[in-house]
Amino acid sequence: KLQDPLAPLGGGSQSPIDLPQITVVGSQSSGKSSVLENVVGRDFLPRGTGIVTRRPLVLQLINKRSTNSEKSSKQKQDLLDLNTSENQNDGSVSNQKEDNVDEWGEFLHLPGKKFYNFNEIREEIEAETERTTGNNAGLSPVPINLRIYSPHVLTLTLVDLPGLTKVPVGDQPPDIEKQIKSMILTYISKPNAIILSVNPANADLANSDGLKLAKEVDPEGKRTIGVLTKVDLMDRGTDVVDILAGRVIPLRYGYVPVINRGQKDIENHKTIRAALADEAKFFENHPSYSTKAQYCGTPYLAKKLNVILLSHIRATLPDIRAKIDTALKKYQNELVSLGPETIDSPSSTVLSVITDFCNDYNGVLDGHTKDISSNELSGGARISFVFHEVFKNGVYALDPFDRIKDADIRTIMYNSSGSSPSLFVGTAAFEVLVKQQIKRFEDPSLRCITL
Ligand code: GDP
Ligand code: MG
């Protein structure tokens, strides 16, 4: 519930509340999307080359037992199982359309609209990403909030972030690495964030970007969970047993090895259900993992994340509640100080405020104010005083002749009449004389305006 109202704040450092949440980090193609899809049990994330995730995705999984009569939904589930197993051979994506009444997605930006078709969820994520980031290169820190209700998920909130890349490709901005890194850091640097660091097992763990970034904000590995993907792609004779045992880079929450679908599996439309079954088989039959197979694989990862997040929420909630209460009180007081609520339309409210202000202003000018002061002049009286006293005195203080001598007048008169003698002051001469005098009104006039 708290995720939704905080979403428009960008989830980053500007968010006033540090919510406990699990944030997925890892380099591009480390398997982040695959892990999320396996945890959900459905295909719904955009795929493609380049940076597909360009806005944070706040994925809220909500375990919802079917409310319909158990029997009828059970039948539907069986039907679905049948359908999905058929899909495997025919390989057409459209078969995934087989909607399930028990499972649906909802976006925060499309309230009330239920997506039963997970392909449409993917399309909506893509469209909504486009909407804020514009062209295909940009990133945006404003998250997309997606809820998935299903009887097959554990209640859990996960934040998917863009993968770390090094070199801009195509029309990506040149500082793409910095942008992604800073977006990830705003999410994982908050102390209540749990970091789900996704690392491919077929590369050296010490080189893992996801783990490196996690170490920056969580040097002791207290709130980082490691996931090892692509265990199936490791060289023969190598395994991740040493990592699991905490002998390489220890993390308090440890590591979970998983196997997602490879690119070939996805092209062949292997279902996640089948992939999970194969994953379980792999760990049970592998000589290195068979003894601890129950601590391997996606189902264990989901359960572990659920337990960690729940206990983390339990630990942090009192603090968050206190923080929200304090903030709420502060803003309620501020609201009260702004005056009573108005129910009219905003424009008429503004209009009436302006009219009231004008009336009050006129009243002040006309001397109709309620509190007439005996200490000092105010309003219209003050204006009158400034004009009739200060300004008048300023003007009277000017002596028109103190800068013009009779000799000057005479010279100007001669100059303006040319060779013919003149008896009276000519217009031209008068203007020259008067303009000089009028100029001297400028100072007292400006002072009057200021006052
Ligand atoms: P992201 O960029 O981190 O989201 O990575 P993706 O989930 O898109 O995975 C990148 C590629 O690695 C895809 O082609 C996946 O099929 C493949 N992949 C991911 N995890 C595994 C795994 O455990 N085993 C195998 N064989 N391939 C995997
Ligand atoms: Mg991805």
Side-chain angles (χ1 to χ4, degrees), residues 162-200:
L164 287 158
T165 46
K166 295 264 183 267
V167 185
V169 203
D171 48 1
Q172 286 164 3
D175 62 339
I176 190 90
E177 183 189 359
K178 228 174 80 195
Q179 280 192 34
I180 294 179
K181 204 173 154 187
S182 86
M183 190 194 289
I184 295 176
L185 280 176
T186 55
Y187 272 86
I188 64 172
S189 57
K190 297 200 273 181
N192 284 347
I194 290 179
I195 306 165
L196 186 67
S197 158
V198 177
N199 315 285

Side-chain angles (χ1 to χ4, degrees), residues 5-20:
L6 292 174
L9 300 173
S13 49
Q14 62 269 61
S15 171
I17 306 290
D18 173 16
L19 286 185

